[in-house]
Amino acid sequence: MSIPVAPVHATEKIIAVLDFSNDTGESKFDNLKHGLAESLSTKLAKYKGLKIVERNQLDAAIKELGFNQSMFVDSNQASQLGKMLGANVIVVGSLLKAGTRFEINVRMIDVETSQISVSEGFTFSSENDILAVVKYLSLKIPDELGVINADDEIFEARKFLESGNTSPVSGGDNSWIIWTVIGGVVLIGGVVAVAVLAGQKPVVQNVS
């Protein structure tokens, strides 16, 4: 059985967004599996350079291949599905939870090479923060595909995420270096101040 694929313009990118996997261990979050994918698909669909694979085509292809709806880990399976659908890229994601904190991870996989071209992860404390993550991804993905140039918007969206209860988990976080330096300066200042008040010559120790 072949899955019918609608014709597209040569400049368009075809993208399939799979349901996210619910790895929280709590069934009450199952509604987010389809909800996240649908929200992201809706936002991506507004770009003229992108064509989103219809849900019925996606479901039919998954059923024919015998795959699960959510395939976050296996890039080769996602690539195989993408080729059947005539898609250029597949977007897969997962939702996790530890205590009161959530974590959402998303990957965009190139169908032709099975390589991951976008890998983003964020932690947050409320389900409401998911909307901000989806908005960021809806800018990051088309920008990565060359459909739009949204560097400024991506910067602002990421800054907004980092200013609230949401924090990135992809890449290194070097903020500890800044706070270590500040802490060292404060400690040195305290030693000098105490010595001056005591009428003694200050002795500064190495706090590295």
Side-chain angles (χ1 to χ4, degrees):
M1 175 184 175
S2 61
I3 306 301
V5 178
V8 295
H9 299 293
T11 56
E12 285 185 322
K13 298 287 187 180
I14 309 174
I15 182 168
V17 182
L18 274 64
D19 282 356
F20 284 48
S21 62
N22 176 15
D23 297 329
T24 65
E26 301 179 39
S27 59
K28 66 181 180 179
F29 297 115
D30 281 346
N31 64 308
L32 292 175
K33 296 192 298 183
H34 179 67
L36 283 167
E38 192 66 21
S39 178
L40 181 56
S41 295
T42 300
K43 287 179 171 56
L44 292 175
K46 70 180 182 179
Y47 300 111
K48 292 183 179 179
L50 286 182
K51 180 175 177 60
I52 310 302
V53 174
E54 295 292 339
R55 171 61 55 176
N56 59 347
Q57 295 178 347
L58 187 56
D59 290 342
I62 290 172
K63 183 177 180 180
E64 180 173 342
L65 291 172
F67 292 161
N68 293 321
Q69 174 64 262
S70 301
M71 296 175 297
F72 179 68
V73 177
D74 197 329
S75 298
N76 291 325
Q77 280 189 332
S79 181
Q80 186 179 350
L81 174 62
K83 290 177 180 177
M84 174 175 283
L85 293 167
N88 300 110
V89 293
I90 295 280
V91 175
V92 294
S94 67
L95 180 69
L96 302 92
K97 186 173 181 286
T100 59
R101 298 288 291 178
F102 293 89
E103 180 176 320
I104 186 172
N105 296 291
V106 178
R107 294 176 184 172
M108 185 173 75
I109 301 168
D110 184 280
V111 170
E112 186 63 30
T113 64
S114 298
Q115 297 299 308
I116 298 171
S117 53
V118 170
S119 180
E120 295 280 352
F122 293 92
T123 63
F124 47 92
S125 58
S126 169
E127 293 177 59
N128 296 328
D129 296 323
I130 293 178
L131 298 177
V133 175
V134 172
K135 180 180 179 180
Y136 168 78
L137 293 170
S138 71
L139 294 168
K140 177 70 174 179
I141 290 172
D143 183 83
E144 185 70 24
L145 291 172
V147 173
I148 61 172
N149 184 354
D151 290 346
D152 292 340
E153 291 87 346
I154 290 172
F155 175 79
E156 291 299 325
R158 192 176 185 89
K159 185 169 69 173
F160 175 79
L161 286 173
E162 295 173 355
S163 67
N165 294 320
T166 309
S167 57
V169 295
S170 58
D173 180 2
N174 296 322
S175 60
W176 64 273
I177 297 176
I178 298 174
W179 289 110
T180 299
V181 172
I182 292 175
V185 172
V186 172
L187 180 58
I188 292 173
V191 171
V192 173
V194 170
V196 170
L197 291 174
Q200 300 175 353
K201 182 178 179 181
V203 179
V204 179
Q205 297 180 341
N206 188 348
V207 295
S208 58

